[in-house]
Amino acid sequence: MSNSLDTMLSERFSGQCEAPPGADLADVRRRARHLVVLTQARRLRQPGVRRLPLRGSLLVAAVAVLAGGGTAAAFAVRALTETPASALNGPAHGRDATPADALDLAQAVERWGVELPGSGPGEPLTDRSATLLSDVGSQHDTVSAFPTSHGAVCFEIRAAGTCNTLDGSPGITWAILSALGSTRVYGVAADGVARVQVNVGGLLHEATLRNNGYFYELEKGMRLRDVRGITATWKDGSTREVTMPPGGP
């Protein structure tokens, strides 16, 4: 990890730690008081906005970051033709049509490629970006995504996002965002996935699955540490699971 990347990320996220009086609640970057993002990248704990290692995942978030397997080597260097998610294979809509928070993530991915050439998910293809889900959950979230030139998929809620691949099992990417008193499990599902369920405390809960995006908001009384995994049911009836480490994420 280069010092310049540490410096860049520190500058990028430093303004997200304090919410000024009377802040616009529509802007999470200016109002975040406590934010946790968990993804399928190597698990780490960050008590504050200091270093944000970019190993196999990119997090555009602030204050507290948790990340969970994989390294930058997981991104195969290959030309992208189509992703396993058809929502991201449609006609180009132009950069102006890309949601602002997705552009924030795309800019961070581009900086990653500059600072650590060859280690990241590739060039963001924002002309193929899509809003997968909108107005979901108590915070009226939007899940948006875009593919990359190395075959990865980058996705986000409120500019808190990551990149990973849909190739192989289980056919989903995932992240968990806790902010504003709400915890959401979200990601992108391959075309072959017909159902996504989140295991909380040993019980499976249905996630909203539409347009290759999925979303589940923990109910009141549920704790982040009680999230045990995610089950993807494929159209052929098979199930594939993502299992959280013992004791929860």
Side-chain angles (χ1 to χ4, degrees):
M1 177 61 59
S2 67
N3 291 332
S4 60
L5 183 57
D6 284 344
T7 301
M8 179 271 290
L9 288 171
S10 295
E11 292 174 351
R12 180 179 180 86
F13 301 131
S14 61
Q16 302 180 32
C17 298
E18 298 284 340
D24 179 3
L25 294 182
D27 187 345
V28 72
R29 288 180 294 266
R30 290 186 286 125
R31 60 168 161 66
R33 298 181 186 276
H34 181 72
L35 180 64
V36 176
V37 177
L38 179 74
T39 77
Q40 65 237 74
R42 183 174 59 86
R43 190 166 183 255
L44 58 97
R45 292 187 179 271
Q46 294 284 60
V49 180
R50 293 182 291 180
R51 295 178 55 136
L52 292 180
L54 300 180
R55 288 178 174 267
S57 176
L58 183 65
L59 302 174
V60 180
V63 184
V65 177
L66 302 175
T71 66
F75 296 113
V77 179
R78 57 184 174 83
L80 175 69
T81 54
E82 291 189 343
T83 73
S86 58
L88 302 178
N89 293 328
H93 298 291
R95 193 173 181 88
D96 289 342
T98 304
D101 286 341
L103 283 177
D104 282 350
L105 179 59
Q107 290 166 5
V109 171
E110 290 172 348
R111 292 293 297 274
W112 181 1
V114 170
E115 294 287 348
L116 296 173
S119 69
E123 190 71 17
L125 304 179
T126 55
D127 60 345
R128 289 167 61 177
S129 67
T131 296
L132 306 182
L133 297 170
S134 60
D135 195 23
V136 288
S138 63
Q139 302 302 317
H140 307 285
D141 290 319
T142 295
V143 180
S144 58
F146 55 84
T148 76
S149 59
H150 289 177
V153 171
C154 300
F155 61 102
E156 58 78 31
I157 287 179
R158 298 175 181 266
T162 185
C163 304
N164 218 294
T165 64
L166 287 172
D167 295 336
S169 183
I172 60 172
T173 65
W174 64 271
I176 302 176
L177 167 65
S178 288
L180 307 175
S182 171
T183 297
R184 302 82 131 176
V185 182
Y186 62 101
V188 181
D191 290 338
V193 176
R195 184 183 192 185
V196 176
Q197 297 168 291
V198 180
N199 184 332
V200 183
L203 297 177
L204 294 178
H205 300 265
E206 294 292 329
T208 297
L209 173 61
R210 186 170 61 251
N211 198 34
N212 292 116
Y214 72 88
F215 176 96
Y216 176 72
E217 182 176 17
L218 269 64
E219 300 171 9
K220 290 189 180 299
M222 294 179 176
R223 300 170 297 181
L224 174 62
R225 67 184 183 185
D226 293 331
V227 177
R228 298 183 182 178
I230 305 169
T231 298
T233 301
W234 282 63
K235 293 178 180 178
D236 63 5
S238 63
T239 59
R240 307 173 193 180
E241 297 184 5
V242 173
T243 303
M244 300 299 168

